Amino acid sequence: MTTDSVSLELTLPTEKMTLSQNGAEQMPVIGEKALPFTASTTQGPIHFPEDFVGKWVILFSHPASFTPVCTTEFMRFAELMPDFEALNTQPIGLAVDSVPSIIGWVREIEEKVKFDGAEHVHIPFPVIGDVKMEIAHKYGMIHKGFSDTKTVRAVFIIDPQSVIRAILYYPASSGRNFEEIKRLLISLQVVDAFDVATPADWQPGKDVIVPSPNSCEKAS
Ligand code: BEZ
């Protein structure tokens, strides 16, 4: 008998979570409702998802504050913020750190850091201080092969009905491509609006696939 498929139901302090036999948390999956949480952020408390219903949300985690790759990611995401606002999308960062420490990091970025021709970049999105790693564990952001206490670079794109629509994981060593995250978000919005699919390397304005794979069954 293999143990891979055996699950244990354990009651953890915050809520019931399902753990596999080797103790790994089950990852959230595409198509599920995003798990709710309340959190302290650099812009005050948030209640997720109720504070964001009707908006797209990009929930993204960082391995550590005051580190170079994470800093460049904050700056890049901030520079693209007008595009994400136009797409009715709220970014929410997360770090396993205290809110005061993250605020210190954000101030340092805004006041001192230069990257790729940008400086004095205002960081406009809230960043969750998840010291107890409750949200990080809930969302499968802690990958024990990397670290027990730091998140990997996770991205969850969550739609206005609070359903998880896309998940990306990157290692700590490789900064994310925020143009790609924007492209994926636009693809999801186009898919929803026109019931189509988007081909490989699709870019906004280019041809789409009609009907979408989901609508083939409906059409037959
Ligand atoms: C960074 O953001 O530079 C970083 C953070 C954790 C591990 C490796 C790199």
Side-chain angles (χ1 to χ4, degrees):
M1 180 186 144
T2 67
T3 54
D4 291 354
S5 58
V6 179
S7 288
L8 298 175
E9 291 260 303
L10 296 183
T11 303
L12 297 182
T14 46
E15 63 173 15
K16 217 157 110 186
M17 291 177 76
T18 305
L19 303 189
S20 65
Q21 186 77 1
N22 69 3
E25 290 154 26
Q26 287 198 345
M27 302 293 204
V29 293
I30 288 173
E32 272 183 0
K33 282 270 184 188
L35 291 167
F37 60 80
T38 56
S40 301
T41 82
T42 50
Q43 296 179 2
I46 58 170
H47 301 88
F48 184 86
E50 56 266 39
D51 291 350
F52 303 94
V53 170
K55 274 185 168 286
W56 291 76
V57 168
I58 299 182
L59 177 65
F60 63 110
S61 60
H62 288 273
S65 309
F66 296 99
T67 48
V69 178
C70 296
T71 295
T72 59
E73 288 192 324
F74 266 30
M75 293 177 76
R76 199 66 197 112
F77 212 163
E79 285 178 294
L80 290 176
M81 195 60 194
D83 296 355
F84 284 101
E85 272 169 2
L87 293 163
N88 185 33
T89 300
Q90 174 65 59
I92 305 174
L94 180 146
V96 178
D97 198 354
S98 70
V99 168
S101 170
I102 301 169
I103 289 174
W105 176 33
V106 166
R107 283 209 188 117
E108 182 177 275
I109 295 171
E110 293 180 341
E111 289 167 13
K112 297 190 190 150
V113 179
K114 295 181 187 174
F115 167 60
D116 199 21
E119 63 179 308
H120 300 302
V121 173
H122 171 57
I123 307 299
F125 43 77
V127 184
I128 296 168
D130 189 23
V131 184
K132 293 184 181 163
M133 299 191 286
E134 286 173 353
I135 300 163
H137 281 298
K138 213 175 222 192
Y139 275 79
M141 294 167 169
I142 304 284
H143 294 200
K144 292 186 184 300
F146 165 58
S147 169
D148 287 343
T149 54
K150 292 186 174 76
T151 66
V152 293
R153 298 185 194 282
V155 180
F156 292 86
I157 301 184
I158 299 164
D159 75 15
Q161 290 76 42
S162 314
V163 173
I164 296 173
R165 298 294 297 278
I167 304 173
L168 304 171
Y169 287 114
Y170 281 58
S173 52
S174 302
R176 287 161 282 203
N177 182 327
F178 287 88
E179 287 289 354
E180 165 57 12
I181 293 169
K182 187 173 86 177
R183 187 197 72 92
L184 176 56
L185 172 70
I186 295 171
S187 165
L188 290 167
Q189 294 187 353
V190 167
V191 165
D192 284 3
F194 301 105
D195 197 15
V196 294
T198 59
D201 299 333
W202 178 82
Q203 289 293 335
K206 297 286 185 190
D207 288 348
V208 296
I209 297 172
V210 182
S212 75
N214 285 341
S215 64
C216 288
E217 278 175 30
K218 281 185 242 155
S220 62

